[in-house]
Amino acid sequence: FAAMTVDNNNNNNCLPSLVILYGSATGNSEHIAKALNAKLNSINNSINDDSINTFSNISCYTLNDAIKKFMPIWNDNDNNKKLNGRKYGVIIITSTTGDGDSPENASRFVRTLKRKATVESQACSNVAFSVLGLGDTNYSKFCQTACIVDKQMAACGGTRAWALMKADEATGLEEVVEAWQEGVYEKVKEACFRGSVDAGAEQSPTEQPPTANGGDPKADKAPPASSSVAPPPVPTSISPTPPPPAAPAPAPTPTTTTTTT
């Protein structure tokens, strides 16, 4: 695999890689990850315009594989200066097994993230990521592994390119998974090449489905009230009604003086 491609004529022109990582117990996450890998490689390899941002390569591995294959590269700040501000892309798809446990091929990665989640480490500061969780709401710890990975990646300094999404097997995975697949590539690419596009801490598409614009919460806000329309003027041509004249004071009552003789 290659972490980046360097143009020997211009060391500032380095393209980061994109890796799709999965944690899978029954095969669902693995199947989704490998299908997405094939789709995104087809898209990425079809771009021949130098003005359009592309990844140097796109690959697919288990979450545990990332510990040795990618984590040292993500955390190599000297080498990553060649990226010229760009970030590595990381797309994660993981299920949860048992009582909130991580799949076997993801458990070591989760433990490693927890150890590295310190301000001093910032092991994922050169990474832009998005996480999809597969779970079942019939269990109390719904998408527990995905929640932990999303939180710990951010705690390690990673840039959340798109909010955590959760697909519920109890109601059908397809709707959420397909919507996520349609938008995740552009979201991650934008964050890798143009900086953070933090969409928030967590989103469950079963409750807040992605919108037609890709789930950007900014697009769902109502526009501010227009301030260009002035209020109607208060008419000034009509004089106020004068008060009625005051009633005349009553005439004094004559006083009769009686003289007694």
Side-chain angles (χ1 to χ4, degrees):
F1 69 96
M4 68 174 80
T5 296
V6 180
D7 182 346
N8 292 324
N9 296 320
N10 182 1
N11 284 337
N12 287 328
N13 187 19
C14 301
L15 297 176
S17 64
L18 170 66
V19 62
I20 301 168
L21 302 173
Y22 63 88
S24 185
T26 62
N28 280 341
S29 295
E30 180 179 1
H31 173 75
I32 293 170
K34 290 182 176 179
L36 183 63
N37 178 54
K39 174 183 177 181
L40 298 190
N41 265 293
S42 178
I43 294 172
N44 200 63
N45 295 336
S46 68
I47 299 174
N48 297 316
D49 188 342
D50 291 338
S51 66
I52 300 176
N53 293 316
T54 58
F55 292 101
S56 62
N57 66 90
I58 300 175
S59 56
C60 184
Y61 292 91
T62 69
L63 281 162
N64 285 350
D65 288 336
I67 298 172
K68 292 183 178 180
K69 290 181 179 293
F70 296 100
M71 277 190 162
I73 300 168
W74 298 343
N75 204 26
D76 186 349
N77 290 321
D78 291 335
N79 189 51
N80 292 335
K81 290 177 181 177
K82 297 177 183 179
L83 288 174
N84 198 27
R86 302 181 182 100
K87 296 180 181 292
Y88 298 109
V90 179
I91 293 174
I92 297 173
I93 306 159
T94 183
S95 60
T96 299
T97 66
D99 187 21
D101 298 325
S102 301
E104 185 176 348
N105 56 10
S107 57
R108 285 191 295 112
F109 178 82
V110 173
R111 291 196 300 270
T112 301
L113 272 185
K114 289 180 177 179
R115 289 197 303 268
K116 291 182 177 292
T118 63
V119 175
E120 294 78 11
S121 172
Q122 295 293 283
C124 299
S125 59
N126 296 305
V127 165
F129 70 93
S130 178
V131 180
L132 170 68
L134 306 184
D136 189 329
T137 50
N138 289 317
Y139 294 86
S140 59
K141 296 181 179 179
F142 176 57
C143 288
Q144 176 82 346
T145 301
C147 292
I148 293 173
V149 170
D150 179 77
K151 179 180 178 180
Q152 298 303 116
M153 288 287 289
C156 286
T159 296
R160 185 182 285 108
W162 206 8
L164 166 64
M165 293 191 182
K166 304 174 185 177
D168 184 6
E169 191 169 8
T171 57
L173 300 173
E174 293 78 9
E175 182 179 357
V176 172
V177 171
E178 290 174 4
W180 179 82
Q181 287 176 320
E182 288 300 314
V184 68
Y185 175 70
E186 289 299 329
K187 288 287 185 179
V188 171
K189 186 170 78 167
E190 183 177 3
C192 288
F193 287 90
R194 299 185 182 89
S196 174
V197 188
D198 197 331
E202 180 177 325
Q203 177 178 339
S204 172
T206 56
E207 299 170 0
Q208 305 174 48
T211 59
N213 53 51
D216 188 346
K218 295 179 181 178
D220 295 329
K221 292 182 179 178
S226 174
S227 58
S228 60
V229 180
V234 177
T236 57
S237 59
I238 301 175
S239 301
T241 303
T253 304
T255 303
T256 304
T257 302
T258 305
T259 306
T260 304
T261 58

